[in-house]
Amino acid sequence: MKLALSTLAGAVALAASLIAAPTLAADQGIIVYNAQHESLAKEWAKGFTKETGIKVTLRNGGDSDFSNQIVAEGAASPADVFLTENSPAMALVEAAGLFAPVDADTLAQVPQEYQPSSGKWVGVAARSTVFAYSKDKLKEGQLPKSLLDLADPSWKGRWAASPSGADFQAIVSALLQLKGEAATADWLKAMKENFTAYKGNSTVMKAVNAGEIDGGVIYHYYYFGDQAKTGENSKNVGLHYFKNQDPGAFVSVSGGGVLASSKHPKEAQAFLKWVTGKGGQDVLKTGTSYEYAVGKGAQSNPKLVPLPDLQAPKIDPATLNSKKVIDLMTQAGLL
């Protein structure tokens, strides 16, 4: 009789737990709005699922597109997690009050300089601004000492960028924070006069490689990714790191955050903890994204210039103002 009662009680408890707990296996698992590189996010999702059994559904798109979509969806967003390439998109969602605080254990895995002071999201990777230059056209002594030098008339028609992309807009957001609105507006006005527009950082690099333009402002990983393949689009390209806390030494933090409206907050937080932990950061060391690992004690790909050697300016990524950047770039005729 005791055995029967015990069995019945166990069955009731099991049924109650099945009703009360969200059944991830019955749906898409956690839904990640992914604006990071698709291949990198796939590796993260695959590793997390293998270790935890929790399914991850990736919906891929762009930084700005997803951040604006999340703001429009509000509490009705189906997303559990948002991953970006650049932090201004994270700051936009944070300003709308749509992130849940990141678990303390996760924040503890990432140094302060790679997370916002608010703790509403966390850095998952990073990329460095560089000046990619034609080794046939420029020697070391002819390279710009500062990003600001590219406003000089001597650079007219000699440098390129992709102003419509979130990558370059993140660089401008750093300039805005470091130098203020007036100086940024002046630099953008001079940029309009001096630069050549291309669509995409890889296209900028190809143009530099082909000798169409002396140099261009891009992120570092385009060069290393091409070098790891055939090198055909970068064989004549050199990378110049501005260093010295210059705006051109800006290191853009890729972010991850859990939506306050997540239907699976526990699993979403677990995913973010895994990505910023050893498993997720090791993917950056051994994978093909060539982005920097930002976790404490994590090692980046050995081909990259070590993060401390970049001498990046200190910036709170939570304060990068993407809306103001868009306004200023539009006023300058760049968008």
Side-chain angles (χ1 to χ4, degrees):
M1 185 63 178
K2 284 185 178 181
L3 181 60
L5 289 173
S6 175
T7 303
L8 178 60
V12 170
L14 177 60
S17 68
L18 289 173
I19 293 169
T23 309
L24 289 172
D27 58 16
Q28 304 171 86
I30 60 170
I31 296 175
V32 176
Y33 279 8
N34 174 51
Q36 246 295 347
H37 291 156
E38 192 171 336
S39 58
L40 174 58
K42 280 183 178 178
E43 287 297 310
W44 278 340
K46 180 181 176 182
F48 174 72
T49 299
K50 182 178 180 181
E51 190 168 311
T52 65
I54 299 170
K55 184 179 178 182
V56 178
T57 297
L58 296 174
R59 296 186 182 175
N60 300 301
D63 277 4
S64 299
D65 291 340
F66 267 143
S67 59
N68 285 301
Q69 181 177 332
I70 289 170
V71 171
E73 291 171 341
S77 178
D80 296 292
V81 175
F82 181 33
L83 296 178
T84 65
E85 289 188 347
N86 298 287
S87 51
M90 303 300 291
L92 182 66
V93 175
E94 179 183 348
L98 297 174
F99 280 134
V102 176
D103 284 352
D105 288 351
T106 301
L107 293 175
Q109 295 184 143
V110 178
Q112 287 291 330
E113 58 262 43
Y114 305 121
Q115 57 178 281
S117 55
S118 63
K120 290 291 187 177
W121 54 274
V122 68
V124 295
R127 60 273 303 280
S128 173
T129 309
V130 295
F131 186 72
Y133 66 93
S134 167
K135 292 187 287 188
D136 295 331
K137 288 176 170 284
L138 293 174
K139 304 304 177 187
E140 187 173 342
Q142 299 172 302
L143 297 170
K145 298 286 192 297
S146 167
L147 180 72
L148 301 179
D149 291 348
L150 296 174
D152 191 271
S154 64
W155 281 98
K156 186 176 178 64
R158 298 177 57 209
W159 72 281
S162 177
S164 62
D167 287 355
F168 188 79
Q169 290 166 21
I171 295 168
V172 177
S173 72
L175 177 62
L176 176 61
Q177 186 183 121
L178 291 165
K179 298 298 182 180
E181 184 174 335
T184 302
D186 288 344
W187 188 83
L188 291 172
K189 182 180 178 181
M191 174 183 168
K192 174 67 176 175
E193 294 295 318
N194 287 353
F195 96 122
T196 300
Y198 287 88
K199 182 70 173 179
N201 283 336
S202 58
T203 310
V204 172
M205 186 178 70
K206 288 178 183 178
V208 172
N209 186 65
E212 294 175 15
I213 197 86
D214 289 11
V217 177
I218 63 172
Y219 282 148
H220 76 279
Y221 60 83
Y222 291 93
Y223 171 85
F224 289 100
D226 188 71
Q227 286 283 300
K229 296 174 184 175
T230 64
E232 63 182 320
N233 297 312
S234 59
K235 60 184 178 181
N236 298 320
V237 174
L239 293 188
H240 173 54
Y241 295 84
F242 289 102
K243 300 186 177 182
N244 301 309
Q245 290 76 49
D246 188 79
F250 170 60
V251 169
S252 183
V253 177
S254 300
V258 173
L259 277 296
S261 56
S262 170
K263 296 176 180 63
H264 311 295
K266 181 180 177 182
E267 291 80 7
Q269 292 281 0
F271 176 74
L272 210 53
K273 184 176 182 179
W274 189 90
V275 167
T276 55
K278 178 173 171 50
Q281 296 297 290
D282 279 353
V283 171
L284 292 164
K285 178 184 176 182
T286 61
T288 58
S289 73
Y290 292 96
E291 294 187 66
Y292 283 98
V294 295
K296 289 181 179 177
Q299 296 182 340
S300 300
N301 189 292
K303 293 182 180 179
L304 305 184
V305 175
L307 267 173
D309 294 351
L310 297 176
Q311 299 173 15
K314 294 187 183 302
I315 288 175
D316 182 351
T319 63
L320 296 179
N321 190 334
S322 58
K323 185 181 184 303
K324 190 64 179 178
V325 164
I326 296 296
D327 291 344
L328 289 171
M329 292 183 71
T330 300
Q331 291 165 17
L334 294 166
L335 296 176

